[in-house]
């Protein structure tokens, strides 16, 4: 008995849905709608039918053919998806596992020095604070007593962020220094406070001693009865510990920063004899940081009463002191990600700096 259309439909839809792979699906296609397939043969039979019969059977057969074809296509893509899933499962790789055939990575000198600096200041009772790298011009400038017309804004080669069209607010900036963390920390914790804030800063500048992204560490100590003498002691202790020498000679040069009054830039005595830097001896002076007594307006802008509290702040270039301590000549190489450079200047992962084990073995 000739198979009816409904039976054909049932049969093929069932077979298609049960097909295990693309090859059996292709066999089914040939069997059903291929040149000599069951449905194709039925279509060929249309010619022998009476016009009335054909009028009914023709569209029905076409519809059946379409239905089978789309079932085939749907099953085909389902099989492909399943194959991809299986492949993803079997080829899954944990990229966070340590390599077996490759040399271990190293700790970047900037990370190492940041750890060293943090260990030294932690020992003196400073906590580590952080702030955002994208900040408002209030925190980066105004709150630090740098008003809109102040030349310091132009000097800093600030990167300004875009605002959406129609947004009238002043643009955010990539912070040009770590000083805004002073404001945020005092806002959050009030006084007394003792923090350092290491981190990335940005300025549009590029040559052998400048990169558009570099690192600073900010220091801030606010309490009652703090003076420049405390600043001097803290910085001397820091420099001795950092450069691992018993004695240092620091020179405080009068300077000007809008956020401190009085302000001083600090140089250390050093010698470059034989091309290597020695700290604590010689006739050269090397500038390492800016500092001063925090300006009353800065305290006020952070919600701290300047009639009651005062203190010192400083800002130091981390890249700079890393170059000095480890004899690294070109700042730009820090950020080239050159593996040979990283192997040469990098630190072993287990070289955790601390004051007891030695900062830099
Ligand atoms: N923010 C200054 C700069 O980037 C450095 C600085 C100077 C920070 C004096 C201070 C300071 O906290 O008191 O050039």
């Amino acid at each position: 008995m000739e198979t009816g259309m409904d039976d054909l439909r049932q049969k093929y839809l069932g077979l298609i849905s049960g097909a295990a792979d693309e090859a059996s699906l292709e066999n089914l296609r040939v069997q059903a709608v291929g040149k000599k397939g069951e449905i194709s043969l039925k279509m060929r039979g249309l010619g022998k039918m009476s016009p009335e019969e054909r009028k009914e059977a023709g569209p029905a057969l076409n519809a059946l053919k379409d239905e089978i074809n789309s079932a085939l296509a749907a099953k085909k893509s389902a099989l492909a998806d399943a194959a991809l899933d299986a492949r993803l499962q079997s080829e899954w790789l944990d990229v966070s596992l340590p390599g077996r055939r490759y040399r271990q990575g190293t700790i970047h000198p900037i990370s190492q020095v940041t750890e060293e600096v943090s260990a030294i200041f932690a020992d003196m009772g400073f906590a580590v604070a952080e702030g955002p790298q994208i900040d408002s011009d209030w925190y980066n400038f105004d709150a630090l007593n740098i008003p809109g017309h102040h030349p310091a804004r132009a000097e800093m080669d600030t990167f300004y962020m875009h605002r959406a069209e129609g947004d009238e607010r002043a643009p955010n900036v990539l912070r040009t220094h770590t000083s805004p963390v002073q404001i945020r920390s005092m806002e959050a914790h009030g006084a007394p406070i003792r923090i350092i804030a290491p981190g990335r800063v940005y300025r549009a500048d590029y040559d052998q001693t400048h990169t558009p992204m570099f690192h600073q560490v900010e220091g801030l100590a606010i309490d009652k009865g703090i003076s420049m003498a405390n600043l001097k002691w803290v910085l001397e202790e820091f420099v001795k510990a950092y450069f691992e020498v018993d004695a240092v000679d620091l020179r405080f040069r009068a300077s000007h920063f809008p956020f401190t009054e009085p302000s001083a830039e600090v140089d250390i005595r050093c010698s470059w004899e034989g091309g290597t830097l020695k700290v604590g001896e010689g006739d050269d002076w090397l500038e390492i940081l800016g500092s001063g007594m925090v300006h009353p307006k800065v305290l006020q802008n952070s919600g701290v009463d300047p009639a009651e509290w005062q203190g010192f702040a400083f800002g130091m270039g981390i890249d700079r002191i890393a170059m000095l301590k480890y004899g690294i000549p070109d700042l730009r190489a820090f950020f080239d990600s050159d593996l040979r450079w990283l192997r040469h200047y990098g630190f072993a992962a287990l070289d955790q700096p601390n004051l007891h084990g030695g900062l830099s073995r």
Side-chain angles (χ1 to χ4, degrees):
M1 196 185 86
E2 205 191 30
T3 334
M5 272 205 267
D6 262 352
D7 295 334
L8 271 181
R9 190 171 166 275
Q10 293 289 330
K11 171 180 160 189
Y12 280 110
L13 290 183
L15 286 170
I16 289 168
S17 105
D21 51 38
E22 284 205 40
S24 28
L25 203 59
E26 175 60 11
N27 279 338
L28 284 171
R29 190 190 64 76
V30 172
Q31 228 177 299
V33 293
K35 259 193 185 148
K36 291 182 182 161
E38 274 193 278
I39 294 170
S40 314
L41 288 179
K42 266 198 178 310
M43 287 180 125
R44 228 173 280 170
L46 284 173
K48 292 180 207 135
M49 292 181 186
S50 68
E52 289 75 32
E53 281 175 322
R54 199 182 307 140
K55 215 170 162 187
E56 226 178 83
L61 269 174
N62 269 326
L64 177 59
K65 189 180 173 189
D66 285 349
E67 193 178 354
I68 298 292
N69 272 327
S70 42
L72 283 165
K75 184 67 182 181
K76 190 171 175 180
S77 84
L79 282 174
D81 283 353
L84 181 62
D85 279 349
R87 194 171 153 204
L88 287 173
Q89 277 292 325
S90 69
E91 293 179 12
W92 181 83
L93 180 70
D94 183 352
V95 292
S96 69
L97 284 174
R100 273 182 291 184
R101 271 177 294 155
Y102 301 95
R103 275 213 253 172
Q104 265 187 358
T106 56
I107 302 291
H108 195 283
I110 297 295
S111 305
Q112 186 79 4
V113 166
T114 302
E115 289 299 321
E116 293 180 16
V117 170
S118 303
I120 297 168
F121 280 106
D123 197 54
M124 291 193 271
F126 286 74
V128 174
E130 285 186 311
Q133 293 176 38
I134 298 173
D135 215 337
S136 65
D137 61 357
W138 165 256
Y139 283 106
N140 196 75
F141 295 121
D142 301 81
L144 288 159
N145 198 31
I146 314 174
H149 59 266
H150 198 283
R153 286 210 191 195
E155 277 163 26
M156 280 196 171
D157 303 308
T158 311
F159 286 113
Y160 289 91
M161 309 293 289
H162 269 299
R163 280 266 188 228
E165 208 161 316
D167 190 334
E168 299 295 322
R169 289 172 301 167
N172 283 330
V173 301
L174 288 180
R175 67 178 182 193
T176 58
H177 50 178
T178 43
S179 302
V181 188
Q182 288 187 31
I183 312 291
R184 291 179 172 278
S185 303
M186 285 190 279
E187 261 178 5
H189 306 293
I193 190 169
R194 232 186 281 175
I195 53 126
I196 58 161
R200 293 182 170 175
V201 300
Y202 302 84
R203 292 181 203 176
D205 212 349
Y206 189 69
D207 60 37
Q208 197 185 337
T209 52
H210 297 90
T211 48
M213 185 280 298
F214 59 106
H215 301 79
Q216 289 188 333
V217 56
E218 195 77 11
L220 174 73
I222 303 292
D223 211 320
K224 294 186 174 170
I226 289 203
S227 74
M228 289 289 271
N230 301 110
L231 170 66
K232 189 158 184 267
W233 182 85
V234 164
L235 291 178
E236 274 170 1
E237 288 303 301
F238 167 74
V239 171
K240 280 193 285 188
Y242 177 75
F243 287 105
E244 300 172 67
V245 293
D246 293 331
V248 289
D249 201 1
L250 289 188
R251 181 171 75 176
F252 283 65
R253 252 183 312 109
S255 181
H256 177 264
F257 299 102
F259 30 89
T260 43
E261 181 59 38
S263 305
E265 280 173 295
V266 177
D267 308 329
I268 41 174
R269 185 186 288 282
C270 64
S271 92
W272 287 102
E273 249 179 49
T276 47
L277 174 77
K278 281 213 187 88
V279 169
E281 54 187 73
D283 296 321
D284 275 326
W285 293 94
L286 197 91
E287 185 196 322
I288 51 163
L289 61 91
S291 64
M293 298 303 290
V294 178
H295 197 290
K297 278 195 188 155
V298 172
L299 295 174
Q300 217 159 33
N301 289 337
S302 319
V304 169
D305 182 1
E308 205 182 334
W309 305 95
Q310 66 280 135
F312 63 77
F314 59 85
M316 193 160 43
I318 292 186
D319 322 71
R320 185 98 199 254
I321 62 168
M323 291 168 80
L324 289 175
K325 182 167 176 180
Y326 294 110
I328 305 171
D330 188 337
L331 175 66
R332 289 170 297 193
F334 272 92
F335 312 117
D336 283 347
S337 301
D338 181 330
L339 276 178
R340 291 161 304 176
W341 187 95
L342 289 166
R343 279 180 195 137
H344 183 77
Y345 289 112
F347 294 81
L350 294 176
D351 264 355
Q352 287 290 338
N354 65 70
L355 292 176
H356 316 292
L359 285 173
S360 59
R361 275 152 289 169

